[in-house]
Amino acid sequence: GESVGLHLPTLSVQEGDNSIINCAYSNSASDYFIWYKQESGKGPQFIIDIRSNMDKRQGQRVTVLLNKTVKHLSLQIAATQPGDSAVYFCAESRPQGGSEKLVFGKGTKLTVNP
Amino acid sequence: GAGVSQTPSNKVTEKGKYVELRCDPISGHTALYWYRQSLGQGPEFLIYFQGTGAADDSGLPNDRFFAVRPEGSVSTLKIQRTERGDSAVYLCASSEQGPGEQYFGPGTRLTVT
């Protein structure tokens, strides 16, 4: 069935390295994508979003890339810091009767080693 | 400003009991969402309110689940005859009208024994 998923459940990097977290989606009608960061015991925290009319969007230390041809989304974190350790979710927005509900993938756990 | 708040933060109840979970969205946000997150999984959509009305309740798993938002701000998720499978973290999110970023609360961890 249609779903948003992540290729890797865990990712371990050294402090200062760049991190890349990948996500695949299957609904070509989706027009809005968001990356969330979730720390233990907390709700998801917005990182960055991108609309389907864009291929790339940059924030502070983060970049999201969208490849609509292969339905692939990635989050790049530059100079990864220990505070970046968390579970990262991509989410897909599927407009349906005005509802902007999000469909989340399972998440990738990022561990940053000092 | 204040973010989305949820109460209680933790709720332990016995199988078969009734529970209510509360969400206070960001002031002025007309859209409110409930999600459920099981251990090791991403949040799953339950219901969406635009103002006072439930615009999309397609994610509610069965008729034991019900949510209200009578004045267009605070929302209550109600679960009747709780089952052990209902144990999860229940997340609430709000956003301004229209598509855009959803701001999540810290969640309520529900444990059904």
Side-chain angles (χ1 to χ4, degrees), chain B residues 1-4 26-27:
Chain B
V4 178
I26 293 172
S27 178

Side-chain angles (χ1 to χ4, degrees), chain A residues 14 27 33-34 37 39 44 70 72 83 93-94 98 101-102:
Chain A
Q14 291 298 122
N27 189 343
F33 305 87
I34 309 176
K37 172 186 180 182
E39 297 174 289
V70 296
H72 184 268
S93 177
R94 303 179 179 180
K101 67 181 181 184
L102 296 175

Side-chain angles (χ1 to χ4, degrees), chain B residues 67-91:
Chain B
V68 295
R69 194 186 186 198
E71 298 179 358
S73 55
V74 170
S75 176
T76 305
L77 178 66
K78 308 181 181 191
I79 310 174
Q80 299 177 320
R81 304 182 303 280
T82 52
E83 300 177 356
R84 293 193 179 88
D86 298 335
S87 296
V89 175
Y90 288 81
L91 294 162

Side-chain angles (χ1 to χ4, degrees), chain A residues 51-69:
Chain A
R51 298 206 173 273
S52 59
N53 61 352
M54 301 173 67
D55 297 324
K56 178 179 180 180
R57 190 162 188 225
Q58 289 185 294
Q60 186 176 14
R61 284 203 304 120
V62 294
T63 301
V64 56
L65 299 177
L66 176 62
N67 185 330
K68 294 179 288 293
T69 302

Side-chain angles (χ1 to χ4, degrees), chain A residues 32 34 36 38 41-46 49 51 89 93 96-107, chain B residues 33 35 37 40-45 48 50 55-56 58 91 98-107 109:
Chain A
Y32 180 56
I34 309 176
Y36 280 93
Q38 188 173 29
K42 297 183 179 180
Q45 177 187 0
F46 173 89
D49 59 0
R51 298 206 173 273
F89 294 97
S93 177
Q96 180 177 337
S99 172
E100 295 295 332
K101 67 181 181 184
L102 296 175
V103 177
F104 284 81
K106 291 186 178 181
Chain B
Y33 301 79
Y35 294 83
Q37 187 174 26
Q41 302 293 318
E44 294 180 299
F45 169 79
Y48 157 65
Q50 183 58 253
D56 181 359
S58 62
L91 294 162
E101 178 184 347
Q102 294 182 21
Y103 296 83
F104 282 82
R109 180 175 297 278

